[in-house]
Amino acid sequence: MTALLPTIALAFFSLTIIWAGIGDIATMRIPNRLILAMLLGFAVLAPLAGLSPSQAAWGLASACIVFCLALGPFALGWMGGGDVKLMAVAALWLGLPQLPAFLLWTALSGAFLTLAMIVFRSLPLSGAVAGRAGWVSHLHLDKNRVPYGVAIASASLIVLSSSPWMALR
């Protein structure tokens, strides 16, 4: 097996997870079509890249665990539905052995992001900045929500280096 297909899979996951984080910061939404693309990408690329059926099954188990764990915070209004789905699909790609590290890095990244948002929102926003980038103004004014997709994306990229995908290269 050449290193090309695992490299394509790594690039696909990296680009889509970064896209989700950037999109969440800009719009406070993670589109279902992006989650679906990540699911389909895994379904196609995992067997082609040489991920074993047991590794894929552990990834699926990881996604189910994360989805079930995240339903509580979603029900309490602490997380958005897109965040729950993004965490689950990221866990699918990363696999069960990486799940504790993924959850820890997501929590740490989320805490840092939340503190950064509190500081950002406490500072006055220049009219020039707000006028050029409306999403910055929207992000500044939305005092109740944090674009948690950024934390999920950063944690995913940190943990990706120890995932089974790296061994395939």
Side-chain angles (χ1 to χ4, degrees), residues 13-63:
F13 176 73
S14 298
L15 291 172
T16 54
I17 201 83
I18 289 168
W19 184 265
I22 291 170
D24 197 22
I25 222 172
T27 65
M28 295 294 231
R29 295 185 57 87
I30 300 169
N32 286 334
R33 65 181 175 275
L34 182 60
I35 302 299
L36 184 58
M38 293 174 79
L39 283 170
L40 292 173
F42 182 85
V44 170
L45 292 170
L48 291 177
L51 202 66
S52 72
S54 65
Q55 288 171 316
W58 285 119
L60 184 58
S62 181

mmCIF file of all heavy atoms in Angstrom, residues 13-63:
data_model
loop_
_atom_site.group_PDB
_atom_site.id
_atom_site.type_symbol
_atom_site.label_atom_id
_atom_site.label_comp_id
_atom_site.label_asym_id
_atom_site.label_seq_id
_atom_site.Cartn_x
_atom_site.Cartn_y
_atom_site.Cartn_z
ATOM 1 N N PHE A 13 -9.258 14.910 6.072
ATOM 2 C CA PHE A 13 -9.740 15.146 7.423
ATOM 3 C C PHE A 13 -9.260 16.493 7.947
ATOM 4 O O PHE A 13 -10.044 17.263 8.514
ATOM 5 C CB PHE A 13 -9.299 14.026 8.367
ATOM 6 C CG PHE A 13 -9.697 14.283 9.794
ATOM 7 C CD1 PHE A 13 -11.022 14.173 10.188
ATOM 8 C CD2 PHE A 13 -8.755 14.659 10.735
ATOM 9 C CE1 PHE A 13 -11.402 14.437 11.500
ATOM 10 C CE2 PHE A 13 -9.118 14.919 12.051
ATOM 11 C CZ PHE A 13 -10.437 14.802 12.433
ATOM 12 N N SER A 14 -7.989 16.775 7.753
ATOM 13 C CA SER A 14 -7.431 18.037 8.254
ATOM 14 C C SER A 14 -8.131 19.239 7.641
ATOM 15 O O SER A 14 -8.499 20.185 8.351
ATOM 16 C CB SER A 14 -5.932 18.105 7.962
ATOM 17 O OG SER A 14 -5.261 17.063 8.638
ATOM 18 N N LEU A 15 -8.326 19.215 6.345
ATOM 19 C CA LEU A 15 -8.969 20.353 5.673
ATOM 20 C C LEU A 15 -10.431 20.510 6.082
ATOM 21 O O LEU A 15 -10.897 21.629 6.304
ATOM 22 C CB LEU A 15 -8.841 20.226 4.158
ATOM 23 C CG LEU A 15 -7.427 20.391 3.613
ATOM 24 C CD1 LEU A 15 -7.383 20.060 2.120
ATOM 25 C CD2 LEU A 15 -6.905 21.795 3.867
ATOM 26 N N THR A 16 -11.148 19.402 6.199
ATOM 27 C CA THR A 16 -12.564 19.514 6.569
ATOM 28 C C THR A 16 -12.735 19.953 8.021
ATOM 29 O O THR A 16 -13.640 20.735 8.323
ATOM 30 C CB THR A 16 -13.345 18.213 6.299
ATOM 31 O OG1 THR A 16 -12.688 17.116 6.942
ATOM 32 C CG2 THR A 16 -13.482 17.944 4.803
ATOM 33 N N ILE A 17 -11.876 19.484 8.907
ATOM 34 C CA ILE A 17 -12.008 19.886 10.317
ATOM 35 C C ILE A 17 -11.617 21.356 10.480
ATOM 36 O O ILE A 17 -12.227 22.089 11.257
ATOM 37 C CB ILE A 17 -11.220 18.940 11.259
ATOM 38 C CG1 ILE A 17 -11.759 19.027 12.690
ATOM 39 C CG2 ILE A 17 -9.742 19.208 11.258
ATOM 40 C CD1 ILE A 17 -12.951 18.212 12.974
ATOM 41 N N ILE A 18 -10.612 21.803 9.726
ATOM 42 C CA ILE A 18 -10.247 23.226 9.754
ATOM 43 C C ILE A 18 -11.385 24.062 9.187
ATOM 44 O O ILE A 18 -11.730 25.115 9.730
ATOM 45 C CB ILE A 18 -8.929 23.460 8.978
ATOM 46 C CG1 ILE A 18 -7.753 22.875 9.756
ATOM 47 C CG2 ILE A 18 -8.709 24.943 8.698
ATOM 48 C CD1 ILE A 18 -6.460 22.791 8.966
ATOM 49 N N TRP A 19 -11.981 23.594 8.105
ATOM 50 C CA TRP A 19 -13.127 24.289 7.500
ATOM 51 C C TRP A 19 -14.266 24.424 8.508
ATOM 52 O O TRP A 19 -14.909 25.474 8.603
ATOM 53 C CB TRP A 19 -13.585 23.545 6.252
ATOM 54 C CG TRP A 19 -14.681 24.235 5.516
ATOM 55 C CD1 TRP A 19 -16.018 24.010 5.630
ATOM 56 C CD2 TRP A 19 -14.542 25.284 4.556
ATOM 57 N NE1 TRP A 19 -16.728 24.850 4.802
ATOM 58 C CE2 TRP A 19 -15.835 25.637 4.129
ATOM 59 C CE3 TRP A 19 -13.454 25.948 4.018
ATOM 60 C CZ2 TRP A 19 -16.051 26.631 3.196
ATOM 61 C CZ3 TRP A 19 -13.687 26.934 3.079
ATOM 62 C CH2 TRP A 19 -14.980 27.262 2.686
ATOM 63 N N ALA A 20 -14.508 23.359 9.264
ATOM 64 C CA ALA A 20 -15.576 23.403 10.273
ATOM 65 C C ALA A 20 -15.268 24.444 11.342
ATOM 66 O O ALA A 20 -16.149 25.213 11.739
ATOM 67 C CB ALA A 20 -15.745 22.025 10.912
ATOM 68 N N GLY A 21 -14.034 24.503 11.800
ATOM 69 C CA GLY A 21 -13.657 25.480 12.818
ATOM 70 C C GLY A 21 -13.766 26.906 12.321
ATOM 71 O O GLY A 21 -14.310 27.779 13.008
ATOM 72 N N ILE A 22 -13.265 27.149 11.118
ATOM 73 C CA ILE A 22 -13.342 28.494 10.539
ATOM 74 C C ILE A 22 -14.798 28.889 10.296
ATOM 75 O O ILE A 22 -15.206 30.006 10.595
ATOM 76 C CB ILE A 22 -12.522 28.574 9.234
ATOM 77 C CG1 ILE A 22 -11.024 28.472 9.560
ATOM 78 C CG2 ILE A 22 -12.820 29.859 8.465
ATOM 79 C CD1 ILE A 22 -10.138 28.302 8.341
ATOM 80 N N GLY A 23 -15.569 27.959 9.763
ATOM 81 C CA GLY A 23 -16.980 28.240 9.514
ATOM 82 C C GLY A 23 -17.742 28.532 10.791
ATOM 83 O O GLY A 23 -18.605 29.415 10.827
ATOM 84 N N ASP A 24 -17.404 27.816 11.860
ATOM 85 C CA ASP A 24 -18.093 28.033 13.130
ATOM 86 C C ASP A 24 -17.769 29.413 13.693
ATOM 87 O O ASP A 24 -18.642 30.093 14.213
ATOM 88 C CB ASP A 24 -17.715 26.942 14.127
ATOM 89 C CG ASP A 24 -18.671 26.858 15.305
ATOM 90 O OD1 ASP A 24 -19.824 27.314 15.184
ATOM 91 O OD2 ASP A 24 -18.277 26.311 16.347
ATOM 92 N N ILE A 25 -16.534 29.839 13.560
ATOM 93 C CA ILE A 25 -16.175 31.169 14.072
ATOM 94 C C ILE A 25 -16.852 32.266 13.251
ATOM 95 O O ILE A 25 -17.237 33.299 13.780
ATOM 96 C CB ILE A 25 -14.641 31.357 14.121
ATOM 97 C CG1 ILE A 25 -14.272 32.044 15.412
ATOM 98 C CG2 ILE A 25 -14.095 32.138 12.978
ATOM 99 C CD1 ILE A 25 -12.789 32.111 15.669
ATOM 100 N N ALA A 26 -17.016 32.027 11.964
ATOM 101 C CA ALA A 26 -17.589 33.053 11.083
ATOM 102 C C ALA A 26 -19.111 33.100 11.144
ATOM 103 O O ALA A 26 -19.704 34.173 11.025
ATOM 104 C CB ALA A 26 -17.141 32.816 9.650
ATOM 105 N N THR A 27 -19.766 31.938 11.341
ATOM 106 C CA THR A 27 -21.224 31.898 11.237
ATOM 107 C C THR A 27 -21.927 31.321 12.465
ATOM 108 O O THR A 27 -23.145 31.347 12.530
ATOM 109 C CB THR A 27 -21.657 31.046 10.019
ATOM 110 O OG1 THR A 27 -21.253 29.685 10.253
ATOM 111 C CG2 THR A 27 -21.046 31.568 8.734
ATOM 112 N N MET A 28 -21.158 30.765 13.397
ATOM 113 C CA MET A 28 -21.709 30.063 14.566
ATOM 114 C C MET A 28 -22.563 28.872 14.136
ATOM 115 O O MET A 28 -23.539 28.514 14.797
ATOM 116 C CB MET A 28 -22.521 30.999 15.463
ATOM 117 C CG MET A 28 -21.703 32.080 16.098
ATOM 118 S SD MET A 28 -20.529 31.407 17.255
ATOM 119 C CE MET A 28 -20.867 32.385 18.669
ATOM 120 N N ARG A 29 -22.180 28.262 13.032
ATOM 121 C CA ARG A 29 -22.894 27.083 12.519
ATOM 122 C C ARG A 29 -21.878 26.106 11.944
ATOM 123 O O ARG A 29 -20.873 26.513 11.375
ATOM 124 C CB ARG A 29 -23.885 27.457 11.434
ATOM 125 C CG ARG A 29 -25.022 28.343 11.910
ATOM 126 C CD ARG A 29 -26.052 28.599 10.821
ATOM 127 N NE ARG A 29 -26.610 27.386 10.297
ATOM 128 C CZ ARG A 29 -27.664 26.745 10.822
ATOM 129 N NH1 ARG A 29 -28.238 27.213 11.893
ATOM 130 N NH2 ARG A 29 -28.120 25.648 10.266
ATOM 131 N N ILE A 30 -22.175 24.827 12.072
ATOM 132 C CA ILE A 30 -21.405 23.778 11.422
ATOM 133 C C ILE A 30 -22.399 23.049 10.517
ATOM 134 O O ILE A 30 -23.293 22.362 11.009
ATOM 135 C CB ILE A 30 -20.771 22.820 12.447
ATOM 136 C CG1 ILE A 30 -19.833 23.608 13.370
ATOM 137 C CG2 ILE A 30 -20.024 21.692 11.730
ATOM 138 C CD1 ILE A 30 -19.343 22.834 14.572
ATOM 139 N N PRO A 31 -22.259 23.230 9.208
ATOM 140 C CA PRO A 31 -23.265 22.683 8.297
ATOM 141 C C PRO A 31 -23.334 21.152 8.308
ATOM 142 O O PRO A 31 -22.305 20.474 8.389
ATOM 143 C CB PRO A 31 -22.812 23.171 6.918
ATOM 144 C CG PRO A 31 -21.782 24.212 7.158
ATOM 145 C CD PRO A 31 -21.223 23.974 8.516
ATOM 146 N N ASN A 32 -24.540 20.633 8.231
ATOM 147 C CA ASN A 32 -24.732 19.181 8.166
ATOM 148 C C ASN A 32 -24.031 18.581 6.954
ATOM 149 O O ASN A 32 -23.537 17.459 7.023
ATOM 150 C CB ASN A 32 -26.226 18.839 8.126
ATOM 151 C CG ASN A 32 -26.882 19.031 9.463
ATOM 152 O OD1 ASN A 32 -26.242 18.952 10.511
ATOM 153 N ND2 ASN A 32 -28.181 19.298 9.449
ATOM 154 N N ARG A 33 -23.965 19.312 5.867
ATOM 155 C CA ARG A 33 -23.315 18.765 4.665
ATOM 156 C C ARG A 33 -21.819 18.550 4.893
ATOM 157 O O ARG A 33 -21.233 17.636 4.329
ATOM 158 C CB ARG A 33 -23.589 19.626 3.444
ATOM 159 C CG ARG A 33 -23.023 21.001 3.486
ATOM 160 C CD ARG A 33 -23.384 21.803 2.225
ATOM 161 N NE ARG A 33 -22.927 23.156 2.335
ATOM 162 C CZ ARG A 33 -23.568 24.154 2.922
ATOM 163 N NH1 ARG A 33 -24.771 23.936 3.430
ATOM 164 N NH2 ARG A 33 -23.058 25.358 2.983
ATOM 165 N N LEU A 34 -21.210 19.355 5.741
ATOM 166 C CA LEU A 34 -19.799 19.156 6.069
ATOM 167 C C LEU A 34 -19.627 17.897 6.922
ATOM 168 O O LEU A 34 -18.709 17.111 6.691
ATOM 169 C CB LEU A 34 -19.242 20.385 6.791
ATOM 170 C CG LEU A 34 -17.769 20.339 7.151
ATOM 171 C CD1 LEU A 34 -16.910 20.197 5.899
ATOM 172 C CD2 LEU A 34 -17.373 21.580 7.914
ATOM 173 N N ILE A 35 -20.510 17.693 7.876
ATOM 174 C CA ILE A 35 -20.477 16.475 8.703
ATOM 175 C C ILE A 35 -20.691 15.254 7.816
ATOM 176 O O ILE A 35 -19.984 14.249 7.936
ATOM 177 C CB ILE A 35 -21.557 16.527 9.812
ATOM 178 C CG1 ILE A 35 -21.373 17.755 10.711
ATOM 179 C CG2 ILE A 35 -21.576 15.240 10.612
ATOM 180 C CD1 ILE A 35 -20.064 17.822 11.457
ATOM 181 N N LEU A 36 -21.641 15.341 6.910
ATOM 182 C CA LEU A 36 -21.908 14.237 5.987
ATOM 183 C C LEU A 36 -20.700 13.962 5.093
ATOM 184 O O LEU A 36 -20.344 12.801 4.861
ATOM 185 C CB LEU A 36 -23.145 14.549 5.134
ATOM 186 C CG LEU A 36 -23.606 13.465 4.180
ATOM 187 C CD1 LEU A 36 -23.925 12.179 4.925
ATOM 188 C CD2 LEU A 36 -24.835 13.927 3.401
ATOM 189 N N ALA A 37 -20.051 15.002 4.618
ATOM 190 C CA ALA A 37 -18.840 14.824 3.796
ATOM 191 C C ALA A 37 -17.754 14.110 4.587
ATOM 192 O O ALA A 37 -17.046 13.239 4.057
ATOM 193 C CB ALA A 37 -18.339 16.178 3.298
ATOM 194 N N MET A 38 -17.619 14.458 5.865
ATOM 195 C CA MET A 38 -16.611 13.798 6.701
ATOM 196 C C MET A 38 -16.962 12.330 6.939
ATOM 197 O O MET A 38 -16.079 11.469 6.945
ATOM 198 C CB MET A 38 -16.451 14.545 8.020
ATOM 199 C CG MET A 38 -15.855 15.934 7.842
ATOM 200 S SD MET A 38 -15.808 16.893 9.368
ATOM 201 C CE MET A 38 -14.357 16.149 10.119
ATOM 202 N N LEU A 39 -18.249 12.043 7.119
ATOM 203 C CA LEU A 39 -18.687 10.648 7.282
ATOM 204 C C LEU A 39 -18.428 9.842 6.004
ATOM 205 O O LEU A 39 -17.884 8.734 6.057
ATOM 206 C CB LEU A 39 -20.179 10.592 7.619
ATOM 207 C CG LEU A 39 -20.583 10.938 9.035
ATOM 208 C CD1 LEU A 39 -22.099 11.084 9.137
ATOM 209 C CD2 LEU A 39 -20.086 9.877 9.992
ATOM 210 N N LEU A 40 -18.830 10.404 4.873
ATOM 211 C CA LEU A 40 -18.617 9.714 3.598
ATOM 212 C C LEU A 40 -17.135 9.584 3.281
ATOM 213 O O LEU A 40 -16.696 8.556 2.758
ATOM 214 C CB LEU A 40 -19.354 10.441 2.468
ATOM 215 C CG LEU A 40 -20.880 10.386 2.527
ATOM 216 C CD1 LEU A 40 -21.497 11.273 1.457
ATOM 217 C CD2 LEU A 40 -21.371 8.956 2.400
ATOM 218 N N GLY A 41 -16.367 10.622 3.608
ATOM 219 C CA GLY A 41 -14.925 10.563 3.402
ATOM 220 C C GLY A 41 -14.300 9.421 4.182
ATOM 221 O O GLY A 41 -13.448 8.689 3.668
ATOM 222 N N PHE A 42 -14.733 9.244 5.418
ATOM 223 C CA PHE A 42 -14.221 8.131 6.221
ATOM 224 C C PHE A 42 -14.629 6.798 5.602
ATOM 225 O O PHE A 42 -13.803 5.885 5.480
ATOM 226 C CB PHE A 42 -14.728 8.214 7.663
ATOM 227 C CG PHE A 42 -14.190 7.133 8.551
ATOM 228 C CD1 PHE A 42 -12.964 7.292 9.174
ATOM 229 C CD2 PHE A 42 -14.899 5.960 8.758
ATOM 230 C CE1 PHE A 42 -12.454 6.295 9.997
ATOM 231 C CE2 PHE A 42 -14.400 4.953 9.569
ATOM 232 C CZ PHE A 42 -13.167 5.114 10.188
ATOM 233 N N ALA A 43 -15.892 6.682 5.223
ATOM 234 C CA ALA A 43 -16.389 5.423 4.659
ATOM 235 C C ALA A 43 -15.633 5.020 3.398
ATOM 236 O O ALA A 43 -15.378 3.834 3.169
ATOM 237 C CB ALA A 43 -17.884 5.537 4.369
ATOM 238 N N VAL A 44 -15.257 5.995 2.592
ATOM 239 C CA VAL A 44 -14.542 5.716 1.341
ATOM 240 C C VAL A 44 -13.045 5.548 1.583
ATOM 241 O O VAL A 44 -12.425 4.599 1.099
ATOM 242 C CB VAL A 44 -14.800 6.833 0.298
ATOM 243 C CG1 VAL A 44 -13.895 6.695 -0.899
ATOM 244 C CG2 VAL A 44 -16.269 6.831 -0.120
ATOM 245 N N LEU A 45 -12.460 6.467 2.336
ATOM 246 C CA LEU A 45 -11.004 6.498 2.469
ATOM 247 C C LEU A 45 -10.449 5.475 3.452
ATOM 248 O O LEU A 45 -9.326 4.999 3.269
ATOM 249 C CB LEU A 45 -10.543 7.901 2.848
ATOM 250 C CG LEU A 45 -10.742 8.955 1.761
ATOM 251 C CD1 LEU A 45 -10.498 10.350 2.306
ATOM 252 C CD2 LEU A 45 -9.831 8.664 0.575
ATOM 253 N N ALA A 46 -11.190 5.129 4.481
ATOM 254 C CA ALA A 46 -10.666 4.188 5.480
ATOM 255 C C ALA A 46 -10.265 2.852 4.852
ATOM 256 O O ALA A 46 -9.125 2.415 5.025
ATOM 257 C CB ALA A 46 -11.667 3.994 6.614
ATOM 258 N N PRO A 47 -11.144 2.191 4.104
ATOM 259 C CA PRO A 47 -10.721 0.909 3.520
ATOM 260 C C PRO A 47 -9.673 1.078 2.412
ATOM 261 O O PRO A 47 -8.759 0.264 2.297
ATOM 262 C CB PRO A 47 -12.016 0.304 2.971
ATOM 263 C CG PRO A 47 -13.001 1.397 2.907
ATOM 264 C CD PRO A 47 -12.572 2.450 3.866
ATOM 265 N N LEU A 48 -9.785 2.144 1.642
ATOM 266 C CA LEU A 48 -8.821 2.362 0.564
ATOM 267 C C LEU A 48 -7.420 2.667 1.086
ATOM 268 O O LEU A 48 -6.418 2.274 0.483
ATOM 269 C CB LEU A 48 -9.277 3.507 -0.347
ATOM 270 C CG LEU A 48 -10.512 3.256 -1.200
ATOM 271 C CD1 LEU A 48 -10.880 4.510 -1.987
ATOM 272 C CD2 LEU A 48 -10.293 2.072 -2.140
ATOM 273 N N ALA A 49 -7.352 3.349 2.213
ATOM 274 C CA ALA A 49 -6.062 3.732 2.784
ATOM 275 C C ALA A 49 -5.436 2.614 3.609
ATOM 276 O O ALA A 49 -4.277 2.720 3.995
ATOM 277 C CB ALA A 49 -6.225 4.986 3.643
ATOM 278 N N GLY A 50 -6.194 1.556 3.881
ATOM 279 C CA GLY A 50 -5.645 0.419 4.606
ATOM 280 C C GLY A 50 -5.987 0.368 6.081
ATOM 281 O O GLY A 50 -5.398 -0.412 6.824
ATOM 282 N N LEU A 51 -6.953 1.169 6.525
ATOM 283 C CA LEU A 51 -7.403 1.084 7.908
ATOM 284 C C LEU A 51 -8.096 -0.269 8.081
ATOM 285 O O LEU A 51 -8.956 -0.643 7.276
ATOM 286 C CB LEU A 51 -8.368 2.231 8.216
ATOM 287 C CG LEU A 51 -8.545 2.625 9.671
ATOM 288 C CD1 LEU A 51 -7.247 3.200 10.236
ATOM 289 C CD2 LEU A 51 -9.648 3.641 9.822
ATOM 290 N N SER A 52 -7.719 -1.007 9.102
ATOM 291 C CA SER A 52 -8.280 -2.345 9.281
ATOM 292 C C SER A 52 -9.744 -2.250 9.694
ATOM 293 O O SER A 52 -10.179 -1.236 10.261
ATOM 294 C CB SER A 52 -7.499 -3.115 10.344
ATOM 295 O OG SER A 52 -7.775 -2.605 11.632
ATOM 296 N N PRO A 53 -10.507 -3.311 9.435
ATOM 297 C CA PRO A 53 -11.909 -3.308 9.871
ATOM 298 C C PRO A 53 -12.050 -3.104 11.388
ATOM 299 O O PRO A 53 -12.973 -2.436 11.834
ATOM 300 C CB PRO A 53 -12.433 -4.679 9.446
ATOM 301 C CG PRO A 53 -11.575 -5.051 8.276
ATOM 302 C CD PRO A 53 -10.219 -4.485 8.589
ATOM 303 N N SER A 54 -11.121 -3.660 12.170
ATOM 304 C CA SER A 54 -11.222 -3.475 13.619
ATOM 305 C C SER A 54 -10.932 -2.015 14.001
ATOM 306 O O SER A 54 -11.583 -1.476 14.897
ATOM 307 C CB SER A 54 -10.277 -4.425 14.368
ATOM 308 O OG SER A 54 -8.938 -4.127 14.086
ATOM 309 N N GLN A 55 -9.983 -1.372 13.327
ATOM 310 C CA GLN A 55 -9.715 0.043 13.596
ATOM 311 C C GLN A 55 -10.927 0.899 13.226
ATOM 312 O O GLN A 55 -11.278 1.831 13.947
ATOM 313 C CB GLN A 55 -8.481 0.518 12.826
ATOM 314 C CG GLN A 55 -7.179 -0.022 13.371
ATOM 315 C CD GLN A 55 -6.007 0.287 12.467
ATOM 316 O OE1 GLN A 55 -6.088 0.144 11.245
ATOM 317 N NE2 GLN A 55 -4.906 0.708 13.073
ATOM 318 N N ALA A 56 -11.558 0.573 12.110
ATOM 319 C CA ALA A 56 -12.759 1.312 11.702
ATOM 320 C C ALA A 56 -13.888 1.086 12.707
ATOM 321 O O ALA A 56 -14.615 2.027 13.051
ATOM 322 C CB ALA A 56 -13.185 0.884 10.300
ATOM 323 N N ALA A 57 -14.013 -0.139 13.193
ATOM 324 C CA ALA A 57 -15.052 -0.445 14.188
ATOM 325 C C ALA A 57 -14.796 0.310 15.491
ATOM 326 O O ALA A 57 -15.735 0.827 16.110
ATOM 327 C CB ALA A 57 -15.118 -1.946 14.440
ATOM 328 N N TRP A 58 -13.531 0.395 15.917
ATOM 329 C CA TRP A 58 -13.202 1.156 17.124
ATOM 330 C C TRP A 58 -13.488 2.636 16.913
ATOM 331 O O TRP A 58 -13.907 3.337 17.838
ATOM 332 C CB TRP A 58 -11.753 0.935 17.547
ATOM 333 C CG TRP A 58 -11.509 -0.401 18.192
ATOM 334 C CD1 TRP A 58 -10.666 -1.375 17.741
ATOM 335 C CD2 TRP A 58 -12.122 -0.907 19.373
ATOM 336 N NE1 TRP A 58 -10.727 -2.458 18.582
ATOM 337 C CE2 TRP A 58 -11.613 -2.198 19.603
ATOM 338 C CE3 TRP A 58 -13.059 -0.405 20.265
ATOM 339 C CZ2 TRP A 58 -12.002 -2.982 20.675
ATOM 340 C CZ3 TRP A 58 -13.451 -1.196 21.346
ATOM 341 C CH2 TRP A 58 -12.922 -2.470 21.542
ATOM 342 N N GLY A 59 -13.270 3.115 15.705
ATOM 343 C CA GLY A 59 -13.624 4.503 15.394
ATOM 344 C C GLY A 59 -15.116 4.726 15.516
ATOM 345 O O GLY A 59 -15.562 5.743 16.065
ATOM 346 N N LEU A 60 -15.889 3.775 15.012
ATOM 347 C CA LEU A 60 -17.344 3.872 15.114
ATOM 348 C C LEU A 60 -17.794 3.837 16.578
ATOM 349 O O LEU A 60 -18.667 4.607 16.988
ATOM 350 C CB LEU A 60 -18.007 2.745 14.318
ATOM 351 C CG LEU A 60 -19.522 2.753 14.245
ATOM 352 C CD1 LEU A 60 -20.036 4.058 13.645
ATOM 353 C CD2 LEU A 60 -20.016 1.562 13.442
ATOM 354 N N ALA A 61 -17.177 2.966 17.365
ATOM 355 C CA ALA A 61 -17.496 2.907 18.795
ATOM 356 C C ALA A 61 -17.166 4.237 19.466
ATOM 357 O O ALA A 61 -17.942 4.745 20.289
ATOM 358 C CB ALA A 61 -16.728 1.768 19.460
ATOM 359 N N SER A 62 -16.039 4.809 19.104
ATOM 360 C CA SER A 62 -15.630 6.096 19.656
ATOM 361 C C SER A 62 -16.643 7.183 19.317
ATOM 362 O O SER A 62 -17.016 7.997 20.167
ATOM 363 C CB SER A 62 -14.241 6.450 19.098
ATOM 364 O OG SER A 62 -13.784 7.655 19.607
ATOM 365 N N ALA A 63 -17.106 7.196 18.077
ATOM 366 C CA ALA A 63 -18.104 8.191 17.650
ATOM 367 C C ALA A 63 -19.398 8.029 18.439
ATOM 368 O O ALA A 63 -19.998 9.023 18.869
ATOM 369 C CB ALA A 63 -18.364 8.053 16.149
#
